[in-house]
Amino acid sequence: MTSASELRSGKGDRDENFPVASWIIHPRHRALILAYYNFVRTADDIADHATLPPDQKLSYLDLLEAELLGKGDTQAEAVTLRRALAERGMAPRHALDVLIAFRMDVTKLRYENWDEVIHYCRYSAMPVGRFMLDVHGESTSTWAASDALCAGLQINNHLQDCGKDFRELNRVYLPRDALAAHGASVEQLGLAQSPPAMLACLHALAARNEALLNEGRSLAAEIRDFRLGVDVSVIQAYADRIVRLLKVRDPLRERVHLNKFELLALSLAGMIGEVGRRAIGRKAISRPGTAHDA
């Protein structure tokens, strides 16, 4: 069978629901995070491949899973991640979870309600945040806030790319009941501009997602690792800005992505804010008898 990496779609400008091993993250973690990223991106490209039949997509995803679990050495991304996880004594659970989402992308093209979308996010986005937390040795108590942030990032993506997903993949993540409640139709996603009903639906979903993102706002403060906390603060700043755009703009007609200047400005603001918060926080909790520093 052809290597899965040869099926990479080569899409250039795509939104990521999970962070690449950025310079903020400590160098000791970057190889493992990059191996995870490459595995997930390869699986994502298989699920989104323009011409591969669904049964072959599922076969490739099954092959990635088998080799991640040690049954073969033909798929470089699976083998690299398997070895990187073994070096750290980590289980492949978070990589196996995302494969469930990619199989859903192949077999499920419509979502009935918000709960179904969140169930998809449970496998497409939440494992990524949990993986990052596990890599840094964080407590599982951070998972609740992480899950909310990661789901919010994923739904931002769904709203940003709703037109492209429908036109190119016939895939619609907007809940059917939300569309019906506003009198909108799936077919309107193929238009160059949202009719009033569709625009009202999109703005309502963005507002609901803003509330979800707010549930994850405590994550940076819950994280012990300084670098990861700063990285999360930057990601939260991106998400907040995007959801504000989605609440007022039409993603079928207007730009709802961040430009390079916005990315730089929000990165600096997020970093400065988190560094300042931690500096103040350290002074506030530096008391005798506090087991804070390892």
Side-chain angles (χ1 to χ4, degrees), residues 130-146:
R130 295 178 180 189
F131 169 78
M132 292 292 289
L133 292 166
D134 280 2
V135 167
H136 288 80
E138 299 291 336
S139 167
T140 56
S141 66
T142 60
W143 282 15
S146 174

Side-chain angles (χ1 to χ4, degrees), residues 1-289:
M1 183 177 268
T2 304
S3 171
S5 59
E6 295 178 39
L7 300 173
R8 297 294 290 268
S9 61
K11 299 174 188 173
D13 183 20
R14 290 183 300 190
D15 301 300
E16 308 298 352
N17 305 322
F18 40 85
V20 185
S22 74
W23 63 270
I24 300 175
I25 297 299
H26 196 286
R28 70 174 176 269
H29 299 309
R30 291 179 195 164
L32 175 55
I33 294 170
L34 189 60
Y36 183 82
Y37 171 85
N38 285 334
F39 178 87
V40 172
R41 178 50 64 206
T42 297
D44 189 16
D45 283 341
I46 291 168
D48 288 353
H49 199 280
T51 60
L52 204 63
D55 60 337
Q56 290 188 31
K57 291 182 180 183
L58 294 173
S59 293
Y60 274 110
L61 293 173
D62 288 346
L63 179 61
L64 284 177
E65 177 174 313
E67 298 210 356
L68 178 63
L69 295 173
K71 303 170 185 175
D73 297 301
T74 65
Q75 307 302 310
E77 290 81 5
V79 174
T80 299
L81 178 57
R82 184 180 79 213
R83 291 172 178 168
L85 289 169
E87 287 176 5
R88 297 284 287 267
M90 292 179 62
R93 58 184 299 188
H94 303 308
L96 296 174
D97 276 353
V98 293
L99 290 179
I100 295 173
F102 295 132
R103 291 185 180 103
M104 291 173 67
D105 280 337
V106 176
T107 61
K108 185 175 177 67
L109 300 178
R110 300 290 185 271
Y111 290 80
E112 296 301 323
N113 51 49
W114 182 265
D115 287 345
E116 284 196 4
V117 175
I118 295 298
H119 176 73
Y120 172 79
C121 294
R122 162 62 184 88
Y123 295 100
S124 67
M126 295 180 193
V128 180
R130 295 178 180 189
F131 169 78
M132 292 292 289
L133 292 166
D134 280 2
V135 167
H136 288 80
E138 299 291 336
S139 167
T140 56
S141 66
T142 60
W143 282 15
S146 174
D147 288 351
L149 174 58
C150 289
L153 290 166
Q154 178 73 85
I155 294 170
N156 268 357
N157 264 181
H158 290 167
L159 296 173
Q160 287 174 300
D161 297 338
C162 59
K164 182 175 70 173
D165 286 340
F166 174 68
R167 292 190 306 270
E168 297 181 4
L169 300 166
N170 188 31
R171 192 183 295 157
V172 179
Y173 296 103
L174 309 185
R176 274 176 163 157
D177 64 352
L179 291 167
H182 289 87
S185 68
V186 166
E187 290 71 27
Q188 291 171 348
L189 291 171
L191 301 176
Q193 178 174 333
S194 293
M198 175 59 75
L199 190 59
C201 178
L202 291 169
H203 287 174
L205 289 170
R208 186 167 188 178
N209 196 44
E210 184 175 46
L212 180 61
L213 285 168
N214 285 336
E215 292 178 22
R217 193 166 301 283
S218 64
L219 179 59
E222 293 177 20
I223 289 172
R224 292 174 61 88
D225 185 271
F226 174 77
R227 285 173 177 254
L228 182 60
V230 172
D231 200 39
V232 166
S233 184
V234 170
I235 291 167
Q236 182 83 50
Y238 293 167
D240 290 343
R241 174 58 179 161
I242 290 169
V243 82
R244 287 195 294 269
L245 293 177
L246 288 166
K247 286 172 60 182
V248 298
R249 292 186 182 178
D250 177 4
L252 299 187
R253 181 177 65 88
E254 299 172 275
R255 181 177 178 84
V256 285
H257 297 75
L258 302 179
N259 59 39
K260 291 181 180 179
F261 174 78
E262 289 173 312
L263 289 169
L264 177 60
L266 290 167
S267 295
L268 291 173
M271 286 187 286
I272 292 170
E274 182 62 14
V275 169
R277 187 200 65 75
R278 285 179 178 255
I280 295 170
R282 278 198 297 273
K283 291 177 183 177
I285 63 176
S286 293
R287 301 186 302 271

